[in-house]
Amino acid sequence: MSDDDPFEGLDVPGEDDLARADQVLTVRVESRRYDKPMTVVEGFDPDVTDTDEVATMLKKQLGAGGTAKETSVEVQGDHAERARDILESEGFQVD
């Protein structure tokens, strides 16, 4: 028998949820150009989470524009509390 992982390649239900729970995200509000608030969510692992997908979900639920970076998501406006609640309901750990 080889030293390889016998469970490698198996599709385990809930594996994505566990990977999300291991990430610790931070949510903060920055003041950008012309004192406009920008909610920034940082701490995504690019190997585990598709930030484009998370950004789309947040923008739809918050009714705001924004963008996805490699390890962060930016949403226009001051949505810190609502963003925390949404991310926690999606299985992320928010600090």
Side-chain angles (χ1 to χ4, degrees):
M1 182 150 201
S2 67
D3 291 332
D4 293 338
D5 184 8
F7 300 107
E8 185 176 336
L10 291 178
D11 185 26
V12 179
E15 188 173 357
D16 292 337
D17 294 335
L18 291 173
R20 283 184 173 192
D22 286 343
Q23 298 178 61
V24 179
L25 306 178
T26 58
V27 178
R28 61 187 165 84
V29 177
E30 292 182 355
S31 182
R32 295 283 174 96
R33 187 179 272 187
Y34 306 113
D35 291 328
K36 298 286 184 179
M38 177 74 77
T39 302
V40 181
V41 183
E42 295 179 313
F44 292 102
D45 182 358
D47 296 331
V48 176
T49 305
D50 181 12
T51 54
D52 289 328
E53 182 181 305
V54 174
T56 300
M57 181 257 316
L58 281 173
K59 292 187 307 182
K60 282 182 182 178
Q61 290 191 22
L62 296 171
T67 188
K69 307 282 181 156
E70 187 174 329
T71 60
S72 66
V73 172
E74 298 177 352
V75 180
Q76 296 172 351
D78 185 353
H79 302 286
E81 290 302 316
R82 288 182 59 204
R84 277 187 186 93
D85 294 340
I86 293 168
L87 291 167
E88 286 174 349
S89 71
E90 291 293 319
F92 290 102
Q93 181 179 351
V94 181
D95 191 23

